[in-house]
Amino acid sequence: MKIWPIFKKEMLLYFTSPVAYVVFTIFLLIVGYFFYSIFAFFTVASMQAAMNPAMGRDLNVTDGVMRPLFSEERKSGTIELLLTYPVRDGAVLVAKYLAALTLYALMLFLTLLYPAIVAYFARLELGPLVTGYLGLVLMGGAFLAVGVLASSLTENQIVAAVSTFGVLLLFWIIGWSADNAGGVLGKVLAHLSIIDHYDGFAKGVIDTRDLIYYVNFIALALFLTLRSLESRRWNG
Amino acid sequence: MIEVRNLTKHYGPIAAINNVSFGVERGEVVGFLGPNGAGKSTTMRILSCFMPASSGSAKVAGYDVFSQSMEVRRRIGYLPENVPLYSDMRVAPYLDFVAEVKGIGRSERRRRVAEVMDRCLIADVQNRLIGRLSKGYRQRVGIAQAIVSDPEVLILDEPTLGLDPKQITEIRSLIKSLAGRHTVILSTHILPEVSMVCSAGRAVLPDGARPSPGGGPTRRGQRRDRPDPGRAARRAAGDERRRRDVRGGGPAEPRREVGDLPARGRPEVDAARTAA
Ligand SMILES: Nc1ncnc2c1ncn2[C@@H]1O[C@H](COP(=O)(O)OP(=O)(O)O)[C@@H](O)[C@H]1O
Ligand SMILES: [Mg+2]
């Protein structure tokens, strides 16, 4: 599997084009704002509170990260070269996904600045911080997987971004209707909700069901992406 | 080296190519000649394993493009039409990336990249962003990317498209210099290009394609599906016109027009084409 060279190329492209810097800056500003408002209003810096709005930021940022994934390659035609090199479609996909995930993880890493500031003024609970970040990586990973899928389906980056947003929003608000539905349906909906699975992480609890949910979610989205890449080989 | 048999590709109801057959021997530089819409790019995308044919078979370097695509992909260098390259990458790192993806080891890679940059005369722009290069340079980077792994077969789709006359001359001589090292198939809609670049002036026409304007695939596809009585007459008239376009008049069997082109033309050339 020639994942490494493609991974390197993706990272190189992230950092030679303005993408990474723009996304980083926006991300940090938004996180900083949330953090500031929480810090200022409650004065008690509870990581749990800071972690929840983190979800809101993810939506805006993930489409910046996944933008260059497949839509861009389709639009510029470079995909025709990439997919005729002696590399399996799956390797291309994994490399691209890992690159996006790495960029996202780097951004999360930068946000550690904020808890660090808090820790300077107050005692910080390490447990929820660590699990909270793990949860953010998983949830962001799920968002990115949807982004990869959307970007493989269309060469229009706007369409890709909007449909990603739509799908994620759907999985997000499913949780709300779960509360109203109640009963078995409510349970099923709650299980599908991408947000509900995050709650545990924010509270410092790692539940295997949540882990499995995110891993399955990512695997399914990547599997569908692979199919969509391969589909050009079917319609002969 | 390349063996194409009865290749057909449908986009929905439209046949982009219909029953194309031809062969290319090792070491040849062959022009794939046809007007816009004749199906040149389609054929090349099939040969480069980017997409499958609807029916028929194609072998490159002895391997089937569909069932043994990895083997084929290891042995080809491909330059798609419009030269899609990463604008945000610099030339040398880009070529290094391509070489690495094509499985060339680290130490070997440096040497190869330096070598192709010399051969393609792009060493002076190696640290420039590809997106900032002139069209002529981009084209050479595209060719460099195709030959960096020293592949047996080169597939070049309209390598002189969109270049100015000086750049065209440069690219043609670059391609000529590749002869002998690689088997080359290049597509073009410019008839004289074949005699200028190709070994023995050999050309293969996509089926139904003619070196004069007109004859898009849509019409061709329909003609095939629904034979109509007026067709033969129209076709004959068309052939007459085409012969004039190509050779400046004079009666000849249209199938021969390609083989006749360059003085060094090879008679069996056009046998490659499916019988009309
Ligand atoms: N992706 C596609 N979908 C539908 N039709 C296509 C597609 N690609 C090419 N065609 C059609 O197939 C025909 C052959 O196209 P092409 O192979 O690009 O010809 P050429 O390269 O000789 O100009 C054209 O009529 C074109 O419109
Ligand atoms: Mg073309």
Side-chain angles (χ1 to χ4, degrees):
Chain A
M1 294 282 258
K2 291 202 209 75
I3 293 173
W4 178 238
I6 299 176
F7 176 84
K8 272 195 304 186
K9 180 216 88 177
E10 294 296 320
M11 293 312 288
L12 199 88
L13 281 179
Y14 275 134
F15 286 94
T16 45
S17 67
V19 174
Y21 306 104
V22 171
V23 170
F24 273 37
T25 312
I26 294 174
F27 189 70
L28 283 178
L29 285 177
I30 298 174
V31 177
Y33 172 76
F34 272 107
F35 213 85
Y36 169 77
S37 34
I38 290 159
F39 201 58
F41 282 103
F42 301 99
T43 37
V44 183
S46 146
M47 274 320 290
Q48 193 183 323
M51 281 296 175
N52 275 318
M55 300 156 195
R57 310 164 327 221
D58 273 345
L59 276 187
N60 304 317
V61 170
T62 39
D63 64 66
V65 177
M66 74 187 201
R67 218 158 257 239
L69 288 175
F70 285 105
S71 299
E72 177 74 25
E73 298 239 17
R74 283 179 55 146
K75 192 158 155 246
S76 66
T78 48
I79 191 119
E80 192 167 337
L81 271 179
L82 188 60
L83 296 183
T84 51
Y85 291 143
V87 188
R88 304 206 169 277
D89 292 355
V92 174
L93 170 61
V94 169
K96 278 180 171 289
Y97 180 69
L98 287 182
L101 199 60
T102 305
L103 188 71
Y104 173 69
L106 277 176
M107 292 193 303
L108 282 182
F109 181 78
L110 292 184
T111 65
L112 281 173
L113 173 71
Y114 299 113
I117 294 172
V118 175
Y120 184 80
F121 293 107
R123 207 180 63 83
L124 191 69
E125 271 186 82
L126 217 58
L129 182 69
V130 172
T131 58
Y133 267 90
L134 175 66
L136 281 182
V137 168
L138 284 170
M139 190 165 62
F143 285 8
L144 285 174
V146 174
V148 174
L149 175 60
S151 81
S152 78
L153 292 171
T154 171
E155 58 209 47
N156 187 325
Q157 300 190 347
I158 312 261
V159 173
V162 169
S163 42
T164 308
F165 190 81
V167 170
L168 293 177
L169 204 61
L170 182 75
F171 273 96
W172 195 327
I173 58 180
I174 271 177
W176 303 342
S177 29
D179 297 338
N180 300 330
V184 180
L185 182 64
K187 279 213 176 99
V188 171
L189 289 179
H191 180 72
L192 286 178
S193 163
I194 203 163
I195 289 306
D196 285 10
H197 288 275
Y198 180 75
D199 290 346
F201 290 105
K203 289 179 188 130
V205 187
I206 300 179
D207 187 332
T208 36
R209 277 172 306 180
D210 297 334
L211 273 178
I212 289 172
Y213 171 84
Y214 284 123
V215 170
N216 278 344
F217 191 99
I218 292 168
L220 178 67
L222 293 186
F223 172 78
L224 292 176
T225 311
L226 188 59
R227 292 278 116 155
S228 111
L229 283 183
E230 285 171 350
S231 67
R232 74 175 200 288
R233 301 200 205 272
W234 305 335
N235 47 24
Chain B
M1 241 341 173
I2 302 178
E3 237 184 282
V4 172
R5 276 204 203 307
N6 305 324
L7 213 57
T8 300
K9 172 78 190 179
H10 293 277
Y11 291 110
I14 297 170
I17 52 171
N18 208 333
N19 255 322
V20 172
S21 303
F22 61 87
V24 178
E25 297 300 318
R26 180 180 291 273
E28 280 186 313
V29 180
V30 166
F32 196 53
L33 182 66
N36 289 332
K40 302 183 296 296
S41 298
T42 301
T43 311
M44 300 202 137
R45 283 177 167 167
I46 296 170
L47 287 178
S48 62
C49 309
F50 180 65
M51 61 185 191
S54 307
S55 65
S57 72
K59 277 188 171 185
V60 174
Y63 296 95
D64 185 90
V65 292
F66 186 68
S67 58
Q68 296 163 303
S69 113
M70 270 309 152
E71 297 302 325
V72 173
R73 282 147 73 177
R74 271 190 256 281
R75 288 166 177 79
I76 59 166
Y78 176 41
L79 178 64
E81 199 176 341
N82 302 323
V83 200
L85 306 172
Y86 299 106
S87 328
D88 288 327
M89 277 177 103
R90 292 174 197 280
V91 174
Y94 171 65
L95 293 174
D96 185 73
F97 155 69
V98 176
E100 190 173 2
V101 168
K102 289 187 168 189
I104 298 167
R106 179 189 286 269
S107 53
E108 171 89 1
R109 223 153 57 218
R110 286 184 143 247
R111 198 179 57 73
R112 286 276 184 87
V113 169
E115 190 199 318
V116 291
M117 286 195 303
D118 278 345
R119 274 170 76 191
C120 299
L121 307 173
I122 49 175
D124 52 327
V125 293
Q126 58 178 294
N127 294 318
R128 297 261 296 273
L129 282 175
I130 293 174
R132 302 259 170 83
L133 296 179
S134 71
K135 187 88 174 70
Y137 267 113
R138 273 178 65 88
Q139 205 81 16
R140 289 202 292 238
V141 174
I143 293 176
Q145 139 322 116
I147 63 178
V148 72
S149 62
D150 206 8
E152 292 171 53
V153 178
L154 281 180
I155 301 172
L156 310 175
D157 196 355
E158 306 230 23
T160 57
L161 193 70
L163 299 180
D164 68 34
K166 181 166 161 286
Q167 295 167 333
I168 290 181
T169 318
E170 288 166 1
I171 293 295
R172 281 181 185 157
S173 64
L174 171 58
I175 294 171
K176 267 193 203 161
S177 75
L178 301 174
R181 284 182 86 138
H182 316 268
T183 303
V184 184
I185 176 164
L186 68 96
S187 74
T188 178
H189 62 273
I190 309 165
L191 186 58
E193 188 154 284
V194 176
S195 51
M196 277 183 251
V197 179
C198 302
S199 62
R202 208 184 128 144
V204 180
L205 283 164
D207 179 46
R210 296 290 184 278
S212 66
T218 314
R219 267 178 294 157
R220 206 169 66 242
Q222 284 166 353
R223 262 187 303 192
R224 297 221 161 236
D225 298 344
R226 288 180 237 122
D228 90 86
R231 174 184 141 194
R234 279 204 305 276
R235 224 182 147 108
D239 284 344
E240 192 57 48
R241 204 173 51 244
R242 277 191 292 272
R243 269 196 302 281
R244 274 198 300 277
D245 287 346
V246 173
R247 311 175 60 226
E253 213 286 316
R255 276 169 55 76
R256 296 208 50 80
E257 64 195 356
V258 176
D260 285 350
L261 284 175
R264 299 162 297 159
R266 291 162 43 144
E268 77 270 32
V269 166
D270 216 24
R273 227 182 87 216
T274 330

